Amino acid sequence: MAAAGTFASIVGQEHAIEGLRRAARADRLAGAYLFAGPAGVGKATAARALARALDCDEGDPESCAPCHACDRIEREMHPDVPWLRPDGASIKIEQVRDLQLRLAHRPNEARRRVVIVDPADKLYPNAQNALLKLLEEPRLDTHIVLISAAPHRLLPTVRSRCQRVTFVPLGAKAIAKLCEARGADTARAGEAARLCDGSVGRAIALLEGDALDRRMKAADAIAQAAASRSAASVFATATRLGSERPEIEATLEILRARCRDAASAADAPGRRVHVRRAWVVTEALADLAANVAVPLVVERLAFRWGAHDLLGAERARATAP
């Protein structure tokens, strides 16, 4: 079995990982990378694995115990593998300036420094502009890894200065096997894998406690409220769901997965309906990412859901013989 936190431990991303492994072995790594792809598919693990490949005390992280350096990298305590994460809702310019001061000097003890920004799309625009200076003139002993599930939110100038490594959604069978390896019941692992939109991280979260059952019920409530087109029903549902963004986001991901499943099993007219509904949920997720209030997100979803249903009905009548 591959050691946790190494390139070999990452499932379903062979193309991305092999390119990084070859570059590390040949000492031809780029100064900056953008690890782009869905949440929970191995991007952060790959960033740690890259740091271990460069700074392992034993020279081979795939087979080390782990060593002192690899252990600290895995626990995010290594002084030369700093993580830049949001302070509140975003990563602020002051954090980037502090990083600039830190990177002005040589690494403390490692051969190479690896800076990991996660998630990079939480950088304020002025913080992104400050980060540009580091990306434009990187130290030879420093590599910067930006991690993002929404790379379009990064400035074009930032994206253009990074070598992009694309991570893809995982297949349901692979996710189910990973969940079962963590002790999940086969049936529940399969259900979580089907509803996680290709993210093993989301699947694992769904299997914690009653999360799967709770969020499936919430997804049903949203769909029923949206279909009713009743303002009172939508308001009651939005109020009941509260304002916890991670909870509503996970619920909407389940609802979107259900719409896609229904589309794949339906005939042509039904498929169009479910595809439209999946797109409506995608728009709601975009609203959440833009910090729209949760009750308003649900209200907009209901309006769009109903509007798309009405549009579909009108088109069906117009094309009927």
Side-chain angles (χ1 to χ4, degrees), residues 31 35 64 78 124 133 171 214 226 255 261 263 272:
F35 288 4
C64 82
H78 198 293
Y124 269 152
K133 297 178 181 179
R214 185 178 69 249
L255 184 57
D261 283 350
R272 286 193 291 271

Side-chain angles (χ1 to χ4, degrees), residues 271-300:
R271 187 178 304 117
R272 286 193 291 271
V273 169
H274 294 300
V275 168
R276 285 195 296 268
R277 288 177 174 176
W279 177 246
V280 165
V281 180
T282 299
E283 290 179 320
L285 286 165
D287 285 343
L288 274 181
N291 290 322
V292 177
V294 170
L296 184 55
V297 170
V298 179
E299 289 176 17
R300 285 183 180 178

